[in-house]
């Protein structure tokens, strides 16, 4: 009897074979088509009868496939899978939409905090803090989103289901985040101080001011990394228990909450340390934080789950910091000319980046677990969510007359065109880079998201 392999939404069932039948070589596992969690579409090619090479070589002369040779529940399973596909098509939108709305609220709160900080004496006396904020937020945000993507992949692969691997993996990732946060804080502090010297050479600076800025950056980066890392670990576990795909919600939540937490901690450190700027307190804090770096590094080195990540991904993070710095310089040139740009830009860019990070995280999970993402359905679902969230954001701005913007049909049309274009570019670029980095042997969870 010739063997026929049936494929239904990625599940294969083989026809019964007779006793004594010998199996040919199994099909290449690399061609197994599985669809990521909740993105099964209604395409006719997803539930098909695939005649493959004979899997069973029968000794009998009969080679006819009779109706009674089919499994009894074959048709029932196909009907059930079709219903499940229709039910699961909306899971991505249902799970991701609340997190995207929360991220927009977070971006708005961060913008309000930035606006309030501009009037504080501590920021007026040390103007380099305004240079420090975007650099630090960019570095910290990329590190935390990388963590969210890695943990989401581990959760979907079942690595967090066993206690034997759950706690070592989480503790190792938290220690790795501390190493990265301390390095990022030092880079942000030194870079902002150097840029301050370049852009304002006439300003009076000193060694104490450099230590003051670097210490503030180190403390805020380390403490925010601890808070957000613990929050992210708890969120991933809750998602696992509630049968929610963490790829759909983790990155948007951590990006928005990370900005708020880091801003608040940086402002608090700046206020507390500025009266003592001309003392050695900032220097002692700097040395203490630097001494923690080898300790956390040793913890990561001893952990087999994250050991290889200690030196990985820094190139993409540094390149992303340079790109964001150039974008900040361009924004500074136009923000005073065009009213409302400071309010619209964080949401416009941040939401597109969050949608791109969701897409990248999902594709990376599929690649690690040898599954195939339903690209068409996911891309259109994410684009549709962009329309919904942006419409809600503009409606709130219009109702409360925020941003000092003249709202009309041309404004809304132009904004939506730019928003859809940014989101489409992020999705396509994220997909291309994820597949390209994977093909080159690099983990997309570590290398791709910073570029978005």
């Amino acid at each position: 009897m010739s063997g026929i392999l049936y494929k239904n939404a990625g599940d294969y069932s083989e026809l019964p074979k007779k006793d004594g039948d010998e199996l040919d070589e199994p099909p290449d596992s690399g061609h197994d088509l599985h669809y990521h969690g909740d993105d099964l579409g209604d395409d006719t090619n997803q539930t098909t009868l695939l005649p493959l090479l004979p899997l069973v070589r029968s000794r009998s002369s009969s080679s006819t496939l009779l109706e009674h040779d089919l499994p009894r529940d074959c048709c029932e399973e196909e009907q059930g899978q079709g219903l499940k596909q229709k039910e699961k098509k909306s899971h991505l939108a249902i799970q991701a939409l609340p997190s995207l709305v929360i991220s927009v609220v977070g971006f708005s709160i961060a913008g309000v905090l930035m606006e309030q900080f501009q009037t504080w004496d501590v920021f007026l006396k040390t103007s380099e803090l305004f240079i420090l904020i975007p650099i630090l937020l960019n570095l910290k945000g990329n590190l935390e989103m990388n963590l969210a993507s890695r943990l989401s992949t581990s959760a979907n692969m079942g690595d967090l289901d066993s206690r034997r691997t759950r706690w070592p993996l989480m503790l190792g990732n938290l220690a790795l985040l501390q190493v990265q946060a301390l390095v990022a804080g030092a880079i942000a502090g030194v870079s902002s101080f150097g840029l301050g010297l370049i852009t304002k050479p006439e300003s009076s600076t000193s060694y104490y001011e450099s230590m003051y800025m670097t210490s503030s950056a180190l403390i805020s980066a380390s403490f925010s990394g601890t808070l957000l890392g613990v929050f992210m670990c708890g969120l991933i576990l809750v998602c696992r228990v509630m049968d929610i795909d963490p790829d759909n919600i983790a990155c948007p939540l951590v990006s928005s909450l990370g900005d708020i937490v880091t801003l608040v901690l940086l402002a608090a450190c700046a206020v507390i340390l500025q009266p003592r700027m001309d003392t050695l307190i900032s220097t002692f804090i700097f040395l203490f934080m630097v001494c923690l770096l080898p300790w956390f590094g040793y913890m990561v080195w001893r952990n087999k789950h994250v050991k290889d990540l200690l030196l990985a991904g820094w190139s993409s993070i540094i390149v992303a910091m340079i790109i964001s710095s150039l974008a900040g310089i361009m924004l500074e040139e136009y923000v005073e000319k065009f009213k409302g740009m400071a309010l619209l830009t964080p949401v416009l860019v941040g939401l597109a980046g969050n949608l791109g990070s969701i897409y990248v995280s999902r594709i990376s999970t599929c690649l690690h677990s040898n599954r195939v993402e339903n690209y068409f359905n996911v891309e259109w679902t994410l684009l549709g969510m962009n329309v919904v969230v942006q419409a809600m954001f503009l409606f709130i701005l219009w109702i409360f007359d925020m941003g000092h913007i003249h709202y009309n049909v041309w404004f809304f049309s132009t904004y939506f065109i730019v928003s859809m274009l940014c989101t489409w570019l992020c999705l396509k670029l994220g997909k291309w880079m994820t597949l390209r980095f994977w093909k080159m042997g690099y983990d997309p969870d570590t290398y791709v998201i910073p570029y978005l």
Side-chain angles (χ1 to χ4, degrees), residues 101-115:
V101 173
I102 294 174
S103 70
V104 170
V105 174
F107 292 141
S108 302
I109 295 175
V112 172
L113 290 175
M114 286 278 292
E115 194 172 339

Side-chain angles (χ1 to χ4, degrees), residues 147 150-152 154-155 159-178 229-240 299-300 303 305-306:
L147 171 64
R150 287 199 307 270
L151 290 180
S152 297
S154 298
D159 294 338
L160 303 182
D161 295 341
S162 172
R163 292 183 179 180
R164 182 175 299 177
T165 58
R166 180 194 307 150
W167 299 116
L169 197 149
M170 286 189 169
L171 292 176
N173 273 282
L174 290 177
L176 176 64
L177 182 60
Q178 284 299 311
V230 173
F231 167 77
M232 189 52 53
C233 291
L235 178 66
I236 298 297
L237 292 178
V238 171
C239 289
R240 194 65 178 166
M299 292 177 61
V300 175
N303 193 306
H305 300 284
V306 295

Side-chain angles (χ1 to χ4, degrees), residues 10-296:
D11 295 329
Y12 294 90
S13 58
E14 184 182 346
L15 294 179
K17 65 182 189 319
K18 297 180 181 179
D19 295 337
D21 290 345
E22 297 179 357
L23 293 178
D24 291 338
E25 293 184 359
D28 185 7
S29 61
H31 296 287
D32 292 346
L33 295 179
H34 298 267
Y35 285 86
H36 186 275
D38 50 11
D39 296 307
L40 299 174
D42 294 331
D43 299 334
T44 56
N45 62 351
Q46 291 184 17
T47 306
T48 55
L49 178 63
L50 298 181
L52 302 180
L53 295 174
L55 297 180
V56 181
R57 185 172 297 159
S58 176
R59 296 177 180 176
S60 66
S61 60
S62 175
S63 61
T64 304
L65 178 62
L66 300 178
E67 183 177 355
H68 61 77
D69 287 328
L70 290 171
R72 294 181 178 179
D73 56 347
C74 178
C75 297
E76 296 179 0
E77 288 183 358
E78 289 184 359
Q79 294 176 357
Q81 288 290 344
L83 294 175
K84 289 180 180 179
Q85 290 175 14
K86 294 180 180 179
E87 293 175 357
K88 291 181 178 181
K89 283 181 65 178
S90 61
H91 282 193
L92 170 60
I94 293 174
Q95 294 177 5
L97 189 59
S99 64
L100 292 172
V101 173
I102 294 174
S103 70
V104 170
V105 174
F107 292 141
S108 302
I109 295 175
V112 172
L113 290 175
M114 286 278 292
E115 194 172 339
Q116 292 295 325
F117 291 161
Q118 294 178 3
T119 61
W120 286 22
D121 291 338
V122 62
F123 286 88
L124 295 176
K125 293 178 180 179
T126 311
S127 59
E128 288 81 4
L129 288 173
F130 289 112
I131 303 176
L132 172 62
I133 288 176
I135 297 176
L136 182 62
L137 292 183
N138 178 267
L139 288 172
K140 282 289 284 87
N142 287 331
L143 296 176
E144 289 151 2
M145 292 180 75
N146 283 345
L147 171 64
S149 184
R150 287 199 307 270
L151 290 180
S152 297
T153 299
S154 298
N156 284 319
M157 294 181 66
D159 294 338
L160 303 182
D161 295 341
S162 172
R163 292 183 179 180
R164 182 175 299 177
T165 58
R166 180 194 307 150
W167 299 116
L169 197 149
M170 286 189 169
L171 292 176
N173 273 282
L174 290 177
L176 176 64
L177 182 60
Q178 284 299 311
V179 173
Q180 295 172 332
L182 290 173
V183 175
I187 293 175
V190 174
S191 300
S192 58
F193 182 75
L195 289 175
L197 293 177
I198 296 173
T199 57
K200 297 179 181 179
E202 71 281 356
S203 62
S204 59
T205 57
S206 64
Y207 161 81
Y208 294 106
E209 184 176 345
S210 65
M211 286 292 100
Y212 161 70
M213 293 185 59
T214 307
S215 299
S216 300
L218 286 172
I219 294 175
S220 58
S222 178
F223 277 77
S224 65
T226 301
L227 294 175
L228 291 168
V230 173
F231 167 77
M232 189 52 53
C233 291
L235 178 66
I236 298 297
L237 292 178
V238 171
C239 289
R240 194 65 178 166
V241 172
M242 299 182 64
D243 196 23
I244 298 175
D245 188 353
D247 284 326
N248 297 335
I249 67 173
C251 287
L253 286 180
V254 75
S255 67
S256 59
L257 295 178
D259 289 348
I260 298 175
V261 173
T262 305
L263 273 175
V264 172
L265 289 173
L266 178 61
C269 293
V271 170
I272 294 173
L273 294 178
Q274 191 181 60
R276 304 166 183 83
M277 183 190 301
D278 296 331
T279 66
L280 293 176
I281 292 181
S282 296
T283 303
F284 291 145
I285 294 176
F286 172 78
L287 294 176
F288 174 74
M289 301 301 291
V290 170
C291 289
L292 293 177
L293 191 58
W295 183 58
F296 285 117

Side-chain angles (χ1 to χ4, degrees), residues 36 38-39 92-93 95-101 103 145 149 152 156 245-253 255 350-366 373 378-379 381-382 385 426-427 430-431 434 445 449 452:
H36 186 275
D38 50 11
D39 296 307
L92 170 60
Q95 294 177 5
L97 189 59
S99 64
L100 292 172
V101 173
S103 70
M145 292 180 75
S149 184
S152 297
N156 284 319
D245 188 353
D247 284 326
N248 297 335
I249 67 173
C251 287
L253 286 180
S255 67
L351 184 59
N354 281 339
L355 291 168
S357 67
I358 291 175
Y359 198 23
V360 169
S361 184
R362 292 173 62 88
I363 297 176
S364 179
T365 296
C366 290
E373 179 66 284
V378 174
E379 288 179 6
T381 302
L382 293 174
M385 285 192 290
C426 280
L427 295 178
K431 173 186 173 182
T434 302
D445 286 332
I449 289 180
L452 301 179

